[in-house]
Amino acid sequence: MLISPHVFERPAAAVRPFALPALRHPFVSTLLADHRGLLADLLDGLGSPLHVVLPEVFEENVARLRRAFAGAGVTADILFAKKANKADCYVSSAAVLGVGVDVASAPELVGALAGGVPGHRIGISGPEKDDALHALAVQHGCLVAVDSVSELRRLAATARRARRPAQVLLRTRAAGQPGSRFGLSAAERAAAVGLCAELADGIRLRGFSFHLGGYSTSERATAANEMIEHCLDARRRGSPSAELVDIGGGLPVRYVEPQLWDAFLAQNRPAHYHATKSFQDFYPYGGRTADRAVTAIMEHRVDGAESLSAKAGRNGIRFVVEPGRALLDQAGFTLFRVQQVDDRRDTDGYAIVTVAGSSFSLSEQWFNSDYLPDPLLLSAGPDAPAAEAPFPACVAGSTCLESDLLTWRKIGFPRPVRRGDHLAYLNTAGYQMDSNESPFHDAPLPRKVVLRLGDGSGPPGWRLDGI
């Protein structure tokens, strides 16, 4: 029996996808416009997904952050938070630039040392670190953020055996954080400060740190002000070297234009997602930039009068900052090959695009959220013309998990997606590439390829990371 082509109509629930294009660094724009063939060859040769990492952009971000602190009139030691990306090339760049590294495990510490970062520029964070990590930290003169009185005692014993003092920050719960699992309570901090003075042969108290979630500059400045007061108290109690305040990370990255972000939030609803998925929270993709956040923190008025930077300068306080995502802003992107297109527009109003790879390599799902900037559709061959209407589709991984979606949101692609096409997810270096990586189904972990444009006179140079 012949079926009329008009029997299947677009369902009433279909919605027009909202465009949320990702911001692009000029280097990324050049690669996508002028070196598409190279990217296609690398994806074909090294497999999908492929992480492209850009240390030149990382180096620009370091310079920009340094200017922000200098402009605020403060001294700050930058420690790159290695947990944000495992690529060796960023550590190598940090070593050349005189930037430190923040680590939380022995393998991360060894990797930072192997990359050329000296121990005195390495900070070690994390709760209740083991004795092996303590021993390495003492041996190399690393700065250890201690999370409890019991850890302080263990570290002091390790330092005495090594006959060299441990360099210590006391991680302290700021006011309003009674429920945090990290850091010392007020009573524990008082006991730890006294213990540092008592164990001066094994412990050198350098200052204080705190753990703070979110991106509020006023909350971070308020917590930093508390740490300055703790430094002054520690000096009075026999630790004259207490001069550092570690403000942690939490410097934001802008992925999309702020006006578009506000418009997206205003119209966002479950119908825009596969299976009417509902998310409670998103990263602030259209928020302020890291350098402006630094300025806001340092200019924040504390004690009802002077700025945080002025108070720090008056009391001989230096800051430590541990950015991860902020130093990786635009410093990498991820390529996927389209493996299958299930066109459900006649029944569901949108298609399911399946790529070779999984959402484990786009780790926003780890935060129970969705990676919202639109992926770019790249033709494997010559570019196809744009269609009259967007092609609505979500993007799924190739595992057997129902929840394996790289993009739950319905994307309005400029033309129908085809098997063999490539999808580029921009700005994925900060936490997206490997925070949640997994060899599920015995799939190999994605490779990272390092690209450098140099002076732009020739094609980009490339190599596998770690080689």
Side-chain angles (χ1 to χ4, degrees):
M1 181 178 67
L2 295 177
I3 300 177
S4 168
H6 301 293
V7 168
F8 297 107
E9 297 181 354
R10 185 175 301 278
V15 295
R16 185 176 181 85
F18 186 90
L20 202 58
L23 295 172
R24 302 187 206 178
H25 187 279
F27 186 2
V28 175
S29 294
T30 298
L31 288 172
L32 295 173
D34 301 339
H35 304 287
R36 185 85 60 83
L38 172 63
L39 296 178
D41 288 345
L42 290 171
L43 186 61
D44 288 342
L46 299 174
S48 172
L50 178 66
H51 299 310
V52 179
V53 290
L54 311 171
E56 287 168 310
V57 180
F58 173 91
E59 292 155 13
E60 287 182 13
N61 292 336
V62 169
R64 184 177 299 109
L65 203 58
R66 280 176 163 164
R67 288 195 298 269
F69 279 106
V74 298
T75 302
D77 297 329
I78 298 174
L79 307 183
F80 166 56
K82 196 174 187 301
K83 63 188 176 185
N85 197 296
K86 297 182 179 70
D88 293 336
C89 67
Y90 300 127
V91 172
S92 299
S93 289
V96 171
L97 296 175
V99 170
V101 176
D102 170 65
V103 305
S105 69
E108 284 188 338
L109 174 53
V110 170
L113 292 167
V117 180
H120 70 270
R121 289 194 182 133
I122 297 176
I124 302 178
S125 56
E128 290 293 339
K129 294 159 284 295
D130 62 27
D131 292 342
L133 183 53
H134 279 172
L136 280 173
V138 171
Q139 178 184 354
H140 291 281
C142 304
L143 185 65
V144 183
V146 170
D147 221 47
S148 69
V149 175
S150 62
E151 183 185 359
L152 182 63
R153 291 186 182 278
R154 289 192 297 107
L155 180 60
T158 298
R160 284 196 298 270
R161 288 193 296 271
R163 297 184 179 179
R164 60 178 68 187
Q167 309 296 313
V168 168
L169 295 175
L170 294 179
R171 184 154 72 168
T172 301
R173 279 177 243 165
Q177 291 185 295
S180 174
R181 76 182 184 96
F182 299 118
L184 301 154
S185 68
E188 291 167 335
R189 174 184 54 78
V193 169
L195 192 58
C196 287
E198 178 184 329
L199 302 174
D201 58 329
I203 296 292
R204 186 182 180 208
L205 178 57
R206 302 294 308 284
F208 294 82
S209 66
F210 58 91
H211 178 268
L212 187 66
Y215 299 93
S216 169
T217 56
S218 61
E219 289 182 8
R220 199 163 295 276
T222 300
N225 182 48
E226 289 182 46
M227 302 305 123
I228 291 177
E229 293 296 332
H230 295 335
C231 284
L232 301 181
D233 175 67
R235 292 174 186 175
R236 290 190 292 266
R237 296 180 59 191
S239 293
S241 59
E243 62 174 3
L244 299 179
V245 169
D246 187 338
I247 65 173
L251 298 178
V253 165
R254 179 179 292 172
Y255 290 78
V256 301
E257 291 291 351
Q259 298 89 339
L260 269 179
W261 178 242
D262 292 340
F264 165 79
L265 292 177
Q267 61 80 53
N268 183 54
R269 61 186 188 274
H272 292 120
Y273 299 84
H274 171 64
T276 61
K277 175 87 169 174
S278 179
F279 295 100
Q280 299 302 312
D281 196 19
F282 295 118
Y283 182 86
Y285 289 100
R288 59 169 32 125
T289 57
D291 53 347
R292 292 187 178 182
V294 166
T295 301
I297 292 168
M298 293 301 150
E299 290 182 350
H300 186 80
R301 297 290 168 177
V302 296
D303 304 330
E306 62 187 339
S307 67
L308 181 68
S309 59
K311 182 173 181 176
R314 181 168 57 81
N315 289 287
I317 296 294
R318 292 168 44 222
F319 290 102
V320 178
V321 62
E322 303 168 4
R325 195 188 297 254
L327 292 185
L328 296 168
D329 185 16
Q330 298 285 343
F333 57 91
T334 301
L335 298 172
F336 290 88
R337 182 185 303 106
V338 174
Q339 188 163 285
Q340 175 64 28
V341 179
D342 183 6
D343 191 346
R344 303 179 178 183
R345 285 178 294 171
D346 288 334
T347 55
D348 296 341
Y350 62 100
I352 302 290
V353 172
T354 300
V355 297
S358 77
S359 57
F360 292 124
S361 297
L362 195 69
S363 298
E364 200 67 21
Q365 312 308 326
W366 188 55
F367 301 98
N368 191 31
S369 190
D370 202 25
Y371 190 69
L372 292 175
D374 291 351
L376 295 178
L377 175 60
L378 307 177
S379 300
D383 284 333
E388 292 184 3
F391 181 78
C394 300
V395 183
S398 56
T399 74
C400 62
L401 301 175
E402 182 74 51
S403 61
D404 183 16
L405 271 85
L406 285 76
T407 303
W408 288 81
R409 187 169 67 90
K410 299 167 187 176
I411 303 297
F413 290 104
R415 62 162 174 81
V417 183
R418 303 170 300 197
R419 173 179 167 85
D421 282 338
H422 302 158
L423 295 184
Y425 283 85
L426 303 186
N427 209 357
T428 56
Y431 288 104
Q432 299 300 332
M433 290 184 177
D434 46 29
S435 293
N436 203 31
E437 64 182 4
S438 171
F440 189 53
H441 287 318
D442 287 339
L445 296 181
R447 295 187 178 186
K448 292 189 177 78
V449 61
V450 182
L451 286 183
R452 281 188 175 271
L453 193 59
D455 61 9
S457 60
W462 70 273
R463 62 176 174 81
L464 286 174
D465 183 63
I467 296 178

